[in-house]
mmCIF file of all heavy atoms in Angstrom:
data_model
loop_
_atom_site.group_PDB
_atom_site.id
_atom_site.type_symbol
_atom_site.label_atom_id
_atom_site.label_comp_id
_atom_site.label_asym_id
_atom_site.label_seq_id
_atom_site.Cartn_x
_atom_site.Cartn_y
_atom_site.Cartn_z
ATOM 1 N N ASP A 127 38.239 -22.572 7.586
ATOM 2 C CA ASP A 127 37.576 -21.523 6.870
ATOM 3 C C ASP A 127 38.409 -21.013 5.590
ATOM 4 O O ASP A 127 38.052 -20.148 4.894
ATOM 5 C CB ASP A 127 37.340 -20.295 7.731
ATOM 6 C CG ASP A 127 38.622 -19.811 8.423
ATOM 7 O OD1 ASP A 127 39.729 -20.254 8.028
ATOM 8 O OD2 ASP A 127 38.501 -18.991 9.374
ATOM 9 N N GLY A 128 39.596 -21.668 5.368
ATOM 10 C CA GLY A 128 40.316 -21.280 4.209
ATOM 11 C C GLY A 128 41.118 -20.065 4.358
ATOM 12 O O GLY A 128 41.669 -19.534 3.307
ATOM 13 N N ILE A 129 41.286 -19.486 5.581
ATOM 14 C CA ILE A 129 42.013 -18.310 5.784
ATOM 15 C C ILE A 129 43.244 -18.621 6.620
ATOM 16 O O ILE A 129 43.118 -19.132 7.700
ATOM 17 C CB ILE A 129 41.163 -17.255 6.521
ATOM 18 C CG1 ILE A 129 39.867 -16.987 5.705
ATOM 19 C CG2 ILE A 129 41.815 -15.941 6.760
ATOM 20 C CD1 ILE A 129 38.803 -16.159 6.505
ATOM 21 N N TYR A 130 44.414 -18.276 6.083
ATOM 22 C CA TYR A 130 45.691 -18.537 6.841
ATOM 23 C C TYR A 130 45.905 -17.466 7.853
ATOM 24 O O TYR A 130 46.701 -16.552 7.655
ATOM 25 C CB TYR A 130 46.847 -18.606 5.862
ATOM 26 C CG TYR A 130 48.050 -19.455 6.357
ATOM 27 C CD1 TYR A 130 48.280 -20.758 6.026
ATOM 28 C CD2 TYR A 130 49.036 -18.831 7.185
ATOM 29 C CE1 TYR A 130 49.366 -21.429 6.467
ATOM 30 C CE2 TYR A 130 50.081 -19.554 7.674
ATOM 31 C CZ TYR A 130 50.193 -20.895 7.294
ATOM 32 O OH TYR A 130 51.285 -21.611 7.758
ATOM 33 N N GLY A 131 45.216 -17.559 8.950
ATOM 34 C CA GLY A 131 45.284 -16.574 10.064
ATOM 35 C C GLY A 131 46.261 -17.010 11.113
ATOM 36 O O GLY A 131 47.019 -18.081 10.955
ATOM 37 N N PRO A 132 46.327 -16.339 12.249
ATOM 38 C CA PRO A 132 47.306 -16.643 13.252
ATOM 39 C C PRO A 132 47.187 -18.059 13.857
ATOM 40 O O PRO A 132 48.164 -18.690 14.230
ATOM 41 C CB PRO A 132 47.142 -15.511 14.365
ATOM 42 C CG PRO A 132 45.746 -15.000 14.076
ATOM 43 C CD PRO A 132 45.562 -15.185 12.579
ATOM 44 N N ALA A 133 45.897 -18.486 14.065
ATOM 45 C CA ALA A 133 45.715 -19.782 14.664
ATOM 46 C C ALA A 133 46.279 -20.867 13.765
ATOM 47 O O ALA A 133 46.887 -21.879 14.185
ATOM 48 C CB ALA A 133 44.182 -20.069 14.984
ATOM 49 N N THR A 134 46.096 -20.741 12.435
ATOM 50 C CA THR A 134 46.579 -21.760 11.440
ATOM 51 C C THR A 134 48.116 -21.791 11.414
ATOM 52 O O THR A 134 48.772 -22.766 11.423
ATOM 53 C CB THR A 134 46.006 -21.480 10.045
ATOM 54 O OG1 THR A 134 44.569 -21.535 10.110
ATOM 55 C CG2 THR A 134 46.524 -22.453 9.058
ATOM 56 N N ALA A 135 48.676 -20.482 11.423
ATOM 57 C CA ALA A 135 50.113 -20.389 11.547
ATOM 58 C C ALA A 135 50.726 -21.027 12.717
ATOM 59 O O ALA A 135 51.773 -21.831 12.576
ATOM 60 C CB ALA A 135 50.441 -18.877 11.371
ATOM 61 N N GLN A 136 50.092 -20.808 13.893
ATOM 62 C CA GLN A 136 50.569 -21.430 15.084
ATOM 63 C C GLN A 136 50.467 -22.964 15.031
ATOM 64 O O GLN A 136 51.355 -23.622 15.523
ATOM 65 C CB GLN A 136 49.649 -20.922 16.278
ATOM 66 C CG GLN A 136 50.271 -21.318 17.652
ATOM 67 C CD GLN A 136 49.461 -20.683 18.781
ATOM 68 O OE1 GLN A 136 48.570 -19.897 18.569
ATOM 69 N NE2 GLN A 136 49.722 -21.015 20.001
ATOM 70 N N ALA A 137 49.408 -23.484 14.443
ATOM 71 C CA ALA A 137 49.266 -24.909 14.318
ATOM 72 C C ALA A 137 50.354 -25.476 13.454
ATOM 73 O O ALA A 137 50.883 -26.596 13.670
ATOM 74 C CB ALA A 137 47.884 -25.248 13.799
ATOM 75 N N VAL A 138 50.653 -24.795 12.328
ATOM 76 C CA VAL A 138 51.736 -25.275 11.450
ATOM 77 C C VAL A 138 53.075 -25.230 12.218
ATOM 78 O O VAL A 138 53.851 -26.193 12.058
ATOM 79 C CB VAL A 138 51.802 -24.353 10.175
ATOM 80 C CG1 VAL A 138 53.100 -24.644 9.406
ATOM 81 C CG2 VAL A 138 50.628 -24.530 9.327
ATOM 82 N N GLY A 139 53.370 -24.208 13.005
ATOM 83 C CA GLY A 139 54.612 -24.146 13.764
ATOM 84 C C GLY A 139 54.651 -25.312 14.781
ATOM 85 O O GLY A 139 55.669 -25.904 15.012
ATOM 86 N N GLU A 140 53.514 -25.629 15.474
ATOM 87 C CA GLU A 140 53.459 -26.769 16.355
ATOM 88 C C GLU A 140 53.658 -28.082 15.645
ATOM 89 O O GLU A 140 54.357 -28.934 16.178
ATOM 90 C CB GLU A 140 52.080 -26.766 17.061
ATOM 91 C CG GLU A 140 51.932 -27.670 18.280
ATOM 92 C CD GLU A 140 52.891 -27.249 19.404
ATOM 93 O OE1 GLU A 140 53.172 -26.063 19.550
ATOM 94 O OE2 GLU A 140 53.357 -28.105 20.126
ATOM 95 N N PHE A 141 53.048 -28.228 14.512
ATOM 96 C CA PHE A 141 53.380 -29.463 13.660
ATOM 97 C C PHE A 141 54.831 -29.532 13.309
ATOM 98 O O PHE A 141 55.379 -30.629 13.445
ATOM 99 C CB PHE A 141 52.525 -29.386 12.359
ATOM 100 C CG PHE A 141 52.899 -30.392 11.375
ATOM 101 C CD1 PHE A 141 52.437 -31.763 11.491
ATOM 102 C CD2 PHE A 141 53.645 -30.081 10.224
ATOM 103 C CE1 PHE A 141 52.761 -32.661 10.627
ATOM 104 C CE2 PHE A 141 53.998 -31.078 9.278
ATOM 105 C CZ PHE A 141 53.552 -32.350 9.521
ATOM 106 N N GLN A 142 55.457 -28.456 12.949
ATOM 107 C CA GLN A 142 56.888 -28.439 12.593
ATOM 108 C C GLN A 142 57.746 -28.809 13.813
ATOM 109 O O GLN A 142 58.688 -29.638 13.697
ATOM 110 C CB GLN A 142 57.290 -27.043 12.023
ATOM 111 C CG GLN A 142 56.685 -26.741 10.722
ATOM 112 C CD GLN A 142 56.883 -25.351 10.282
ATOM 113 O OE1 GLN A 142 56.787 -24.392 11.162
ATOM 114 N NE2 GLN A 142 57.088 -25.034 8.951
ATOM 115 N N ARG A 143 57.414 -28.221 14.895
ATOM 116 C CA ARG A 143 58.091 -28.648 16.185
ATOM 117 C C ARG A 143 58.028 -30.182 16.437
ATOM 118 O O ARG A 143 59.008 -30.806 16.828
ATOM 119 C CB ARG A 143 57.664 -27.811 17.343
ATOM 120 C CG ARG A 143 58.285 -26.437 17.495
ATOM 121 C CD ARG A 143 57.987 -25.795 18.840
ATOM 122 N NE ARG A 143 56.556 -25.314 18.728
ATOM 123 C CZ ARG A 143 56.248 -24.143 18.305
ATOM 124 N NH1 ARG A 143 57.134 -23.293 17.808
ATOM 125 N NH2 ARG A 143 54.880 -23.787 18.318
ATOM 126 N N ASN A 144 56.857 -30.758 16.295
ATOM 127 C CA ASN A 144 56.650 -32.043 16.504
ATOM 128 C C ASN A 144 57.404 -32.980 15.593
ATOM 129 O O ASN A 144 57.772 -34.099 15.888
ATOM 130 C CB ASN A 144 55.084 -32.449 16.445
ATOM 131 C CG ASN A 144 54.426 -32.154 17.801
ATOM 132 O OD1 ASN A 144 54.180 -33.046 18.632
ATOM 133 N ND2 ASN A 144 54.000 -30.935 18.035
#
Side-chain angles (χ1 to χ4, degrees):
D127 55 12
I129 303 171
Y130 202 97
T134 300
Q136 186 175 357
V138 170
E140 192 64 30
F141 169 78
Q142 291 169 322
R143 275 188 286 273
N144 276 263

